[in-house]
Amino acid sequence: MREEPGFVRDLGAMERILHFYASEHPRHFCVVAEIEGTIDPAKCRAAFDAVQAGHPMLSVCVRDDPQRGPGIYRCDRPLKVGFSSVDEEPDWRRVVERELATPFADSEGPLMRAMVMYGAHGASIVLTSHHVLSDGMSAVFIVQDLMEALDGRPLVRLPELPSQERLVADVLLPGGRTIDPEMPDGLDERRLRTIADAPLWRPFEGDTPLVHTIEFDAPFSARLRRRSRENATTLNGALCAALVQCVAEADRGRETCAILSAINCRPLVRTADRD
């Protein structure tokens, strides 16, 4: 255990590779929430402060130690939240494009930032998160907490969670087995850095993010979700399959089409849905 000011814990193996990968090929992500009603920037700022106070991982950064590797450390910086009127920023898609092109400084934190575009009848909120400590579902839960804070409801402070590997080791390994779940056998620091230095399926350098959207109405979304469950898949899996089909039809000369689809590990490690 490191005895350093602000130290929280070591990064797990998955967190380490995401940290190393982001330093070479920034691949953070955005979640957008569109809400109705008048937004007061001061109250919205206070709601973000309440959300940050309830989520310990929204007040951390990642620092590299030459001897012990990267670890999570507390930081006292408030979340970076920008505000603009819809007259200045009429299309949140352009904001997402800029956010995706702007990397995080892992050693500074926090590892999430927000942009609020507000008007007379509603607002669009763009949350940009670093993958090392957040996934898509986590970001959606943060949006939910933000809505509750805007509604004046108190938020419960969540506990600091261990790494994914530690959760798996505690739940699935036989009693008495001793391993280092933060760095499993065969995944030393050098190998993780080598993996992270390589592109996934192609180089990303020089990319300019472009965002296009398709909007589904509520009845269609409900039917799509129901059919996904009937076919023992997820809504995300169905959309990924449809995307691959569209690419295959548009480029019939393509021999392969690779797509990465995240999975939800929460049921496997028996954590609460909100963790």
Side-chain angles (χ1 to χ4, degrees):
M1 178 70 177
R2 309 185 201 187
E3 295 183 359
E4 303 174 47
F7 176 74
V8 177
R9 64 171 173 82
D10 292 317
L11 288 180
M14 180 60 70
E15 293 166 337
R16 290 188 188 211
I17 198 168
L18 288 170
H19 166 63
F20 296 149
Y21 190 84
S23 66
E24 300 292 337
H25 323 275
R27 292 289 107 181
H28 45 282
F29 68 96
C30 295
V31 170
V32 181
E34 293 186 297
I35 59 177
E36 297 179 350
T38 304
I39 290 292
D40 180 344
K43 290 183 178 179
C44 193
R45 174 72 254 189
F48 272 106
D49 291 341
V51 170
Q52 184 177 17
H55 290 260
M57 289 305 178
L58 293 183
S59 296
V60 301
C61 62
V62 177
R63 298 176 191 163
D64 277 309
D65 185 293
Q67 303 299 323
R68 302 182 181 181
I72 298 174
Y73 292 79
R74 294 182 182 87
C75 73
D76 57 5
R77 299 182 183 90
L79 288 174
K80 182 179 180 181
V81 183
F83 293 90
S84 68
S85 70
V86 293
D87 294 331
E88 298 172 300
E89 294 282 3
D91 192 343
W92 57 259
R93 296 163 187 81
R94 306 293 79 82
V95 174
V96 171
E97 290 171 352
R98 292 201 303 270
E99 289 293 328
L100 292 177
T102 305
F104 280 92
D106 293 19
S107 61
E108 294 181 4
L111 299 180
M112 190 188 85
R113 56 181 183 255
M115 184 68 187
V116 181
M117 294 140 282
Y118 60 93
H121 304 292
S124 298
I125 301 175
V126 177
L127 295 182
T128 305
S129 304
H130 196 307
H131 256 312
V132 73
L133 293 178
S134 180
D135 60 10
M137 291 186 68
S138 301
V140 171
F141 294 143
I142 289 173
V143 170
Q144 181 180 338
D145 284 350
L146 179 64
M147 297 301 102
E148 293 184 1
L150 285 171
D151 198 36
R153 304 178 193 175
L155 302 180
V156 176
R157 180 174 174 81
L158 298 175
E160 292 179 346
L161 284 177
S163 69
Q164 178 174 287
E165 289 78 18
R166 172 66 67 183
L167 289 170
V168 171
D170 290 345
V171 172
L172 300 181
L173 289 181
R177 182 173 174 183
T178 58
I179 66 167
D180 179 3
E182 266 69 43
M183 187 56 65
D185 294 342
L187 283 180
D188 58 31
E189 202 85 356
R190 181 180 300 178
R191 185 180 178 194
L192 286 180
R193 289 183 182 274
T194 299
I195 294 172
D197 188 51
L200 290 176
W201 59 89
R202 65 173 181 81
F204 290 118
E205 283 69 20
D207 277 2
T208 300
L210 296 174
V211 176
H212 302 278
T213 60
I214 298 175
E215 185 173 345
F216 298 151
D217 60 24
F220 180 82
S221 298
R223 291 198 304 272
L224 184 58
R225 185 175 187 275
R226 184 174 62 253
R227 288 296 301 274
S228 298
R229 298 295 183 268
E230 291 171 354
N231 287 276
T233 188
T234 62
L235 183 58
N236 181 68
L239 292 174
C240 288
L243 178 60
V244 170
Q245 182 68 27
C246 289
V247 171
E249 292 180 356
D251 188 359
R252 296 186 179 277
R254 183 189 293 265
E255 294 183 359
T256 61
C257 181
I259 187 167
L260 298 183
S261 176
I263 64 171
N264 179 20
C265 293
R266 288 168 175 80
L268 296 176
V269 296
R270 304 173 191 171
T271 66
D273 287 342
R274 295 299 306 274
D275 292 341

